[in-house]
């Protein structure tokens, strides 16, 4: 019997999740065709997954995910979506390449690392990613003092919570300048006529316009 690696197991689970799409079960032949694997090999793997408590499988009746299997598949899908979005929107990698690279990396990245990337790029990935915390939430704890940098007053200090903007270019530019979660910042000055904020981050002072300042969410100190 072929030994199933973690990657194999996760691939089966996420593909079953994709094929279910509102249905109760997926036919073995449908899964085999989708994964381009011989039906006999798929059946062998499904028996292993069922033994591990990840799926419900009955010959001629199809396969469905257990609660444990669903949680594992959704976690993998969440990591994939986060990685793909980061690669495509922030690093400007071609969408197909971003998808392929996310498929390769989704198995090895931890949920903790994925959550940090999620916070870095801001908003929730999509409605499917219910496991992705709200950007102003960490370990289930709401940060009540999370505000826009544009709302800070001269002399205010804080720690960057996350970035968010409908403009992908702004997120990429801020990251390249060092505005990433957990970095301490201070609002040194506001040039009122232009609305320019002078921000001290580390030993560097950087000028930001209001649009960029509004993309930075800060936990006030």
């Amino acid at each position: 019997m072929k030994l199933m690696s973690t990657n194999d197991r996760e691939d089966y689970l996420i593909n079953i999740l994709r094929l279910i799409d509102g249905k109760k079960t997926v036919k073995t032949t449908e899964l085999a065709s989708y994964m381009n694997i011989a039906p006999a090999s798929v059946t062998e793997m499904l028996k292993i997954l069922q033994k591990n408590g990840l799926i419900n499988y009955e010959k001629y009746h199809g396969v469905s995910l257990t609660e444990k299997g669903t949680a594992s598949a959704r976690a993998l899908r969440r990591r994939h979506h986060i990685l793909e979005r980061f690669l495509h929107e922030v690093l400007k990698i071609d969408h197909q390449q971003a998808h392929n690279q996310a498929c390769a990396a989704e198995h090895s990245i931890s949920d903790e690392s994925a959550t940090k990337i999620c916070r870095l790029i801001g908003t929730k990935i999509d409605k499917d990613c219910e496991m992705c915390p709200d950007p102003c939430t960490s370990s289930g704890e709401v940060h009540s003092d999370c505000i826009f940098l544009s709302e800070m007053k001269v002399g205010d200090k804080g720690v960057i919570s996350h970035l968010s903007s409908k403009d992908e270019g702004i997120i990429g530019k801020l990251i390249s300048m060092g505005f990433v979660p957990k970095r301490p910042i201070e609002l040194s000055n506001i040039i009122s006529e232009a609305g320019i904020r002078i921000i001290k981050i580390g030993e560097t002072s950087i000028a930001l316009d209001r649009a960029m300042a509004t993309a930075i969410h800060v936990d006030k100190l």
Side-chain angles (χ1 to χ4, degrees), residues 28 32 50 76 78 83 85 135 139 150 165 175 184 188 217:
T28 304
Q50 179 167 249
L76 180 66
R78 170 181 176 264
L83 286 167
R85 183 180 170 196
S139 302
S150 57
S165 174
I175 291 172
S188 299
H217 299 250

Side-chain angles (χ1 to χ4, degrees), residues 5-15 18 35 72 75-77 79-80 83 100-111:
S5 69
T6 299
N7 289 12
D8 289 335
R9 182 187 67 187
E10 291 181 338
D11 283 340
Y12 269 82
L13 294 178
I14 195 171
N15 284 321
R18 287 166 177 159
M35 297 184 69
S72 181
L76 180 66
R77 180 169 61 183
R79 296 197 299 271
H80 177 95
L83 286 167
N100 293 340
Q101 290 178 34
C103 283
E106 65 193 17
H107 300 287
S108 56
I109 188 174
S110 68
D111 288 330

